[in-house]
Amino acid sequence: MNNLRPKHAPLLQFPVRDNCIEIGGMSLTRLAQRVGRTPFYAYDRQKITERVAFLRQHLPDEVHLHYAMKANPMPAVVQHMASLVDGIDVASVGEMRVALDTPMPSGLISFAGPGKGEDELSCAIAAGIVLNMESEQEMERIANLGTCLGIRPKVAVRVNPDFELKSSSMKMGGGPKQFGVDAERVPAMLGRLGKLELDFEGFHIFSGSQNLKIAAIQEAHEKTLQLGISLAQYAPGPVRLLNIGGGFGIPYFPGDEVLDLAGVGENLQRLMPEAKQQLPDVRVVIELGRYLVGESGIYVCRVLERKMSRGQVFLVTDGGLHHHLAASGNFGQVIRKNYPVVVGNKVHGNEREVVSVVGPLCTPLDLLADQMEMAKAEMGDLIVVFQSGAYGLTASPTAFLGHPAPIEVLV
Ligand SMILES: *Cc1c(COP(=O)(O)O)cnc(C)c1O
């Protein structure tokens, strides 16, 4: 029975030596000493570099790679990423400042998101970054601000496509959405755009996130390129930018399989010639967040207590939901499933047991692992949550209950 239960995809990114995980070429116990206290997030610089190289190997040369930095906005990570990718996508003025501190040219930074404030828009216009417009009203505001500032804003139209990314865990396009302009309204908007003092760059079409299904991604890429081509006939100038989104998923839960990136690449290879022919000036962009950083990061907390309750073992740790909401199952999951979790300094311990890993918060939601099998842990051991390089710290309610925030390191 037991071997029929779905398992986590094998985690091979961090070597194990003397039963202890290594990250950034350092044993986890040594790193914990170096950091000085738990809990902490650690991101592996080399793994991020390798991930970008892996993408470059499989995607067509003409496809540009952008980093959607809301996945992990740690400034050191964004700096490192800026040396590897072709652009950065930001979603707030705070993210924009971090991106502008990197060597990335401002024309290769874009700013998406509904409800951008006038101050945010003004900063972005002055910086010369590309504004992905989410509505017709926003277009008018940007044009007015550009006139006031005496600067021609660079803009792209974010399109809410007339199709959905199938099997995506987070749909961000298709049907009624707060993101982008409904595809059927875009031709009229482009007509108006041509009369305003705006530099038209192109389109941004993002249909969803965390997709592991190759066929769904292939279909979305094909439809997205077709939509971009068909909208181009209404554009006031050549389409120079076509951001076709991303949505590449990573395996988090038992039964999740690794995305077939080669299949994604082959399909794009097939589609690119027509896109280049129809849109000769175009730069096709794929924007990725979690796929670039998610697997390079771990969250580490320490066992404070082993507690028995009616036959079940609870490992009470100093980490929890307030630092890692997603691993607790409360960041968009419908049914709670376990992230991959191990005892980082006793990975293959011969004594094994089924435990629940909990945090210090006074809520039963504060659960990092629910009845998972792992090596027998004692007080002081280090619990590691894998797949934690994206939507970790900044997607968590750190103020809840007033415990100290975790440290972040890039190693
Ligand atoms: C959040 C977001 C992304 C990144 O999504 P991932 O699942 O982390 O790859 C990309 N583009 C847009 C517009 C987003 O809002």
Side-chain angles (χ1 to χ4, degrees):
M1 251 333 263
N2 205 24
N3 52 8
L4 291 178
R5 283 231 305 270
K7 288 196 166 62
H8 283 107
L11 288 154
L12 308 169
Q13 64 264 55
F14 300 109
V16 176
R17 188 165 306 170
D18 298 333
N19 222 358
C20 184
I21 283 171
E22 285 189 351
I23 178 162
M26 193 185 283
S27 81
L28 179 68
T29 41
R30 179 70 179 263
L31 178 64
Q33 290 169 334
R34 197 199 91 175
V35 174
R37 68 173 170 83
T38 50
F40 62 89
Y41 278 94
Y43 314 117
D44 187 318
R45 190 190 308 270
Q46 184 61 27
K47 295 292 164 228
I48 295 173
T49 306
E50 286 168 11
R51 179 49 70 104
V52 175
F54 180 67
L55 278 155
R56 301 258 191 226
Q57 183 195 330
H58 287 291
L59 299 180
D61 292 341
E62 315 92 290
V63 170
H64 294 241
L65 204 56
H66 281 205
Y67 178 46
M69 68 172 273
K70 80 169 185 290
N72 187 330
M74 184 200 186
V77 168
V78 182
Q79 284 287 344
H80 180 58
M81 196 67 87
S83 69
L84 303 171
V85 296
D86 308 308
I88 301 178
D89 296 335
V90 306
S92 72
V93 75
E95 288 189 0
M96 185 174 77
R97 289 201 188 98
V98 174
L100 287 171
D101 281 342
T102 70
M104 185 61 70
S106 61
L108 298 174
I109 300 174
S110 63
F111 186 177
K116 299 182 200 74
E118 299 227 323
D119 50 342
E120 295 181 299
L121 292 171
S122 297
C123 293
I125 293 166
I129 75 175
V130 178
L131 283 159
N132 293 348
M133 303 185 295
E134 305 271 349
S135 70
E136 293 93 338
Q137 292 114 284
E138 189 173 80
M139 174 172 73
E140 300 293 336
R141 276 208 304 280
I142 291 168
N144 287 338
L145 286 167
T147 307
C148 293
L149 294 167
I151 305 166
R152 250 179 106 88
K154 288 192 186 139
V155 296
V157 178
R158 181 164 181 186
V159 182
N160 175 19
D162 40 12
F163 55 86
E164 285 193 344
L165 178 55
K166 287 179 192 147
S167 342
S168 167
S169 76
M170 228 174 263
K171 292 193 169 61
M172 293 181 68
K177 285 283 177 303
Q178 74 264 51
F179 307 109
V181 179
D182 297 343
E184 58 277 19
R185 293 224 307 256
V186 171
M189 179 177 180
L190 291 169
R192 172 73 183 142
L193 199 160
K195 301 194 175 71
L196 298 169
E197 293 293 311
L198 296 170
D199 272 346
F200 173 72
E201 288 278 323
F203 302 112
H204 176 212
I205 308 174
F206 179 75
S207 40
S209 221
Q210 180 50 22
N211 204 316
L212 294 168
K213 295 276 185 297
I214 174 75
I217 293 179
Q218 289 175 333
E219 187 187 324
H221 282 165
E222 178 150 13
K223 287 182 171 169
T224 302
L225 286 168
Q226 284 306 328
L227 181 57
I229 290 167
S230 72
L231 290 173
Q233 60 186 302
Y234 306 100
V239 175
R240 291 181 291 225
L241 170 71
L242 181 53
N243 180 334
I244 62 171
F248 302 180
I250 61 172
Y252 286 107
F253 306 119
D256 282 357
E257 280 172 27
V258 175
L259 175 67
D260 169 17
L261 188 67
V264 174
E266 283 157 21
N267 182 58
L268 280 171
Q269 206 84 53
R270 180 178 70 79
L271 297 171
M272 280 306 284
E274 200 200 336
K276 287 301 267 184
Q277 197 201 339
Q278 301 283 334
L279 309 171
D281 300 302
V282 83
R283 192 158 42 89
V284 172
V285 167
I286 287 189
E287 56 177 356
L288 298 171
R290 78 186 76 221
Y291 195 81
L292 289 174
V293 288
E295 300 189 68
S296 314
I298 57 174
Y299 173 66
V300 183
C301 57
R302 200 179 285 280
V303 177
L304 302 175
E305 194 179 311
R306 279 178 63 86
K307 178 171 175 174
M308 290 293 295
S309 172
R310 303 208 163 113
Q312 278 191 34
V313 183
F314 290 85
L315 300 176
V316 183
T317 70
D318 56 4
L321 161 163
H322 53 316
H323 297 163
H324 201 331
L325 188 67
S328 79
N330 295 291
F331 189 59
Q333 290 98 315
V334 181
I335 301 167
R336 192 195 176 285
K337 294 181 192 155
N338 286 324
Y339 267 50
V341 177
V342 299
V343 184
N345 57 320
K346 289 183 180 165
V347 181
H348 310 296
N350 343 330
E351 246 192 296
R352 303 191 68 82
E353 62 181 358
V354 172
V355 299
S356 291
V357 179
V358 301
L361 305 189
C362 298
T363 160
L365 299 177
D366 192 10
L367 188 60
L368 291 176
D370 185 19
Q371 305 220 37
M372 272 183 92
E373 193 207 285
M374 55 188 83
K376 186 171 183 205
E378 303 295 340
M379 203 175 107
D381 283 337
L382 296 168
I383 300 293
V384 166
V385 182
F386 291 105
Q387 311 299 72
S388 298
Y391 306 107
L393 177 56
T394 58
S396 300
T398 48
F400 188 40
L401 270 86
H403 289 282
I407 292 170
E408 287 183 293
V409 291
L410 175 65
V411 289

